[in-house]
Amino acid sequence: LDPSFGIAYENLADVDDDWPGNPDGTDFAKETIGKGWKLFGATGVRLGAHGIIEQMPEDALNERIVGFFYYNGYFVNPDKRLAADWYRKAAEQGNLVAEYEFGLSLEDGDTDIPKGDPRASEEAAKWYRKAAEQSSPDAEVALGNMYRDGNGVDQDAEAAVQWYLKSAEQDDTDGQVSLGDMYLGGQGVGYDPREALNWYSQAADLGNPAAETAIGDFYRNGRGVPRNFSLARKWYLKAAASENADAHYNLGLMSDLGQGTRRNREDALLQYQDAARAYAYDADGGDGHAEARLGTMAATGQGVSQSEVVAYVWYARAYYDLKPGPERDRVLQMMSVLKLKAVAWLAEPRLVNGLIQSAIALQQMVVQPP
């Protein structure tokens, strides 16, 4: 049995169940994939999928599912550009899910418009808005992010908060975490760490590892609550069980400093290494935050070999992938500090082999999931 058959079957059914506007989606997914299996069997399932794709009636739900096939490589070779074309077709017919997914494709550079081109951001905002106005929680968060960052729309922190709130009130944990971030940063609302903790707690109750890490930060730093290293470790450990890179990193710091536990450099190193693997896995998908943290770890030798050249490379990638803001400004500052050191390092021929070995190790770290 081709394993992609079961994966596609389960994921398509889950996707259609989760999204509003597709009450019969699960039945349709089962019928479509079941037909391919019945007609073509395990050995011909990929060829069969091509046939089904070609024969599918051109309606929005079918087009979105075909896009889903191509995006994830279910039954067909993965092709994000082709997936974007199918999402666009479905979006133009008013499919709620496809409107959001085509917005993502635009932001990720999977269309004819290059990533980072202002036209892509403006077009993505248009499609996110269409889906958000139909109460899509993911689209509400995406549109909130654009207002927060001034990406594709005029920057408006208050509008960002309103979109996050709409999503959070639907028990969407990304919306709840984003709303907590706004209260913690005093963006679009007054600075209110207790209200931030309230939203993080709601998301953590639903199992969101980013929220669990944020609560750990509250207790570790004594922000809005009494400082409690034991509780901080408890929340970091919960998040680390979901391979949250920030949680692993913070556990490493706490073991390194003896916070909430006896000082243990060996455990700290293990946590830093777990963090590095998780950050590298995220960074392979263009996560600027992960890339920036890997730059810091390479610069300081936390869990990885210390290398100012590798640190500079990670910071450069982060600068490209991060949205404008304080973290991106900090990355640029670190690049300036490291630039002269990195150039001097490269000028030493005897160290070139070390750079090559670092690059090989870096590549291996990126391609291996945590």
Side-chain angles (χ1 to χ4, degrees), residues 239-250:
S242 300
E243 296 301 337
N244 181 275
D246 287 340
H248 279 299
Y249 182 81
N250 288 330

Side-chain angles (χ1 to χ4, degrees), residues 179-181 183-184 192-201 218:
L179 196 54
D181 291 344
Y183 275 105
L184 194 59
D192 190 338
R194 290 191 177 278
E195 187 64 11
L197 182 59
N198 169 51
W199 286 108
Y200 290 142
S201 297
F218 268 77

Side-chain angles (χ1 to χ4, degrees), residues 186-228:
Q187 294 177 278
V189 288
Y191 169 71
D192 190 338
R194 290 191 177 278
E195 187 64 11
L197 182 59
N198 169 51
W199 286 108
Y200 290 142
S201 297
Q202 291 187 47
D205 287 344
L206 295 171
N208 185 294
E212 292 165 349
T213 301
I215 295 173
D217 291 343
F218 268 77
Y219 283 110
R220 179 168 176 255
N221 298 314
R223 195 173 192 178
V225 293
R227 176 173 286 181
N228 187 320

Side-chain angles (χ1 to χ4, degrees), residues 66-145:
V66 174
F68 187 85
F69 279 171
Y70 278 113
Y71 188 88
N72 293 282
Y74 293 150
F75 302 131
V76 293
N77 292 326
D79 187 329
K80 291 186 177 180
R81 182 65 62 89
L82 197 52
D85 288 341
W86 283 104
Y87 287 149
R88 176 185 54 77
K89 290 178 183 180
E92 288 174 346
Q93 295 191 61
N95 183 275
L96 172 62
V97 188
E99 290 169 350
Y100 166 69
E101 289 169 332
F102 185 52
L104 283 180
S105 295
L106 285 158
E107 277 209 280
D108 291 342
D110 295 334
T111 70
D112 292 335
I113 308 175
K115 181 177 180 178
D117 189 310
R119 295 174 300 161
S121 300
E122 291 168 5
E123 189 72 5
K126 180 186 83 173
W127 289 106
Y128 288 149
R129 187 181 303 279
K130 284 178 178 290
E133 289 176 346
Q134 299 173 73
S135 299
S136 158
D138 284 348
E140 289 165 348
V141 172
L143 188 57
N145 292 342

Side-chain angles (χ1 to χ4, degrees), residues 4 16 37 90 110 121 128 172 289 297 342 361:
S4 66
D16 283 313
W37 174 250
D110 295 334
S121 300
Y128 288 149
D172 180 81
H289 170 71
M297 295 180 76

